[in-house]
Amino acid sequence: MSEPDADESADARSADGSTAAGNGQVDASASEAAVEDEQTEATTGEGDEASAAAERGEFARLRTNLFVVATRELRTIARTPALLALSAAFTLSVVGVAWAGTGGGGGFVPLTLDLLTFVEVLVPLLAVAFGYRSILGDRQTGELDVLRTYDVRRVSYVGGVYLGRALALVGVVVATLFVVGLFVPFLTADIPTFLAINAAADSGVRYVRFVVLAAVFTLVVLAATIAISAAARTVRTAFALAAALALALVLGIDTALVAGLASGVLPESGLTALLALSPNSAFRGLVLSTAVGVVGGAEVNAGDPLLNTVGLLVWLVGSLAVAVWRVWPAVEEIES
């Protein structure tokens, strides 16, 4: 082999070695990048799992605290003679009205009409008694400060107070109305004298609708009372605001609507929407449209059921939001 051929072979071997070394470096870099990607994906996956686990743990803690507070509220009500006496008085009053009125002896629809106004008046008064000192009492005794040291969330506390009081109050209202409804089959005469001409219009299903709507109305009024208890700082203020709420629901809002229509300040075209602004009017409209329906052969004009439902939901959600907002100031977490 000549010297030029030897030099060319050496250059070729050098080039092949450089190429192989370069390919080896590229493969090593690719492997390192792949390992880093796998580590990043593993870290991201572990982070997502840890975040999801933390969220599940936080939700479980919120739920546990809510049920603990609700249980405490139920025990408090069971140990409060005044609330038990008011519940018994409500039950006896409803039974007396049903027995003395034409409802029990006429059918389910007359019974609903007999109890409608009575429920509109008594349920707000009973809800005020159950709720106006619910949160204020804890604030005055210092129990709110103790709960905050255990990192109890505002949603859990307000939700627990509302749930416990609602179970007791709605239980009283619903149980009383159902017991009264059991009188109808025994007291109804052979020839019904109820106002609904169509006998098919009078049925237990309509009365069940009335009971369900009464429960919803009770929840709405109790939520508004809980909001007052969360916002007030003294018993006098809470009692004054709760009394004003009851008066507004029973008389004030409806009276203002009638006066506005009579004076021409409020347009008649917007009456349907205005009636939905009052919990009492919305409840009354839903009862007349879904539980009564037909009276004297004519369909009852009770406003728009959808607007009435939205009105009750706005009162319910808005009141609970105010209670959560006002129960105590939000505490921001300090990042380490």
Side-chain angles (χ1 to χ4, degrees):
M1 180 181 292
S2 62
E3 292 181 358
D5 293 337
D7 292 339
E8 290 177 358
S9 299
D11 292 339
R13 287 193 298 271
S14 177
D16 292 341
S18 299
T19 302
N23 291 335
Q25 291 177 353
V26 171
D27 292 339
S29 299
S31 299
E32 291 177 358
V35 171
E36 289 179 356
D37 291 340
E38 291 178 357
Q39 292 177 348
T40 302
E41 291 177 359
T43 303
T44 303
E46 292 176 357
D48 293 339
E49 291 179 0
S51 177
E55 291 179 357
R56 288 194 298 268
E58 179 67 16
F59 177 76
R61 186 163 65 90
L62 290 173
R63 183 179 58 188
T64 300
N65 291 337
L66 185 147
F67 287 135
V68 169
V69 175
T71 303
R72 186 205 64 167
E73 293 299 315
L74 287 172
R75 291 174 179 172
T76 300
I77 292 173
R79 294 196 300 262
T80 306
L83 294 180
L84 298 178
L86 287 174
S87 300
F90 174 82
T91 300
L92 293 176
S93 300
V94 171
V95 171
V97 169
W99 189 272
T102 59
F108 290 106
V109 169
L111 179 61
T112 299
L113 293 174
D114 282 345
L115 295 178
L116 177 57
T117 303
F118 191 76
V119 169
E120 283 187 53
V121 174
L122 277 196
V123 164
L125 299 179
L126 195 61
V128 165
F130 267 74
Y132 89 99
R133 292 194 63 174
S134 55
I135 295 177
L136 179 62
D138 289 342
R139 176 177 288 111
Q140 291 184 324
T141 59
E143 196 162 350
L144 279 186
D145 297 330
V146 175
L147 290 174
R148 293 178 66 182
T149 62
Y150 288 96
D151 194 25
V152 177
R153 302 295 184 183
R154 294 184 295 175
V155 173
S156 294
Y157 173 71
V158 173
V161 171
Y162 179 70
L163 178 61
R165 303 269 168 167
L167 287 175
L169 181 58
V170 173
V172 171
V173 174
V174 170
T176 301
L177 294 178
F178 266 122
V179 168
V180 168
L182 296 177
F183 294 164
V184 174
F186 300 100
L187 298 179
T188 303
D190 295 334
I191 302 176
T193 59
F194 51 82
L195 299 177
I197 292 179
N198 185 3
D202 188 84
S203 66
V205 175
R206 291 185 176 272
Y207 187 74
V208 170
R209 294 175 187 172
F210 167 64
V211 175
V212 172
L213 291 173
V216 174
F217 177 60
T218 304
L219 291 174
V220 171
V221 181
L222 179 63
T225 308
I226 294 292
I228 289 175
S229 183
R233 293 298 182 267
T234 63
V235 176
R236 180 178 298 179
T237 302
F239 182 78
L241 291 176
L245 172 68
L247 184 62
L249 293 179
V250 175
L251 293 175
I253 300 178
D254 289 345
T255 303
L257 290 177
V258 173
L261 290 172
S263 61
V265 175
L266 299 178
E268 294 184 6
S269 58
L271 179 61
T272 301
L274 292 173
L275 289 175
L277 297 177
S278 169
N280 284 51
S281 297
F283 164 66
R284 186 188 314 120
L286 288 173
V287 170
L288 292 177
S289 61
T290 61
V292 176
V294 178
V295 173
E299 186 176 353
V300 177
N301 184 11
D304 190 343
L306 179 59
L307 288 178
N308 291 334
T309 303
V310 171
L312 290 177
L313 286 177
V314 169
W315 271 87
L316 177 64
V317 177
S319 298
L320 292 179
V322 170
V324 172
W325 170 48
R326 293 294 299 169
V327 63
W328 65 63
V331 179
E332 296 182 358
E333 296 182 357
I334 301 175
E335 297 182 357
S336 58

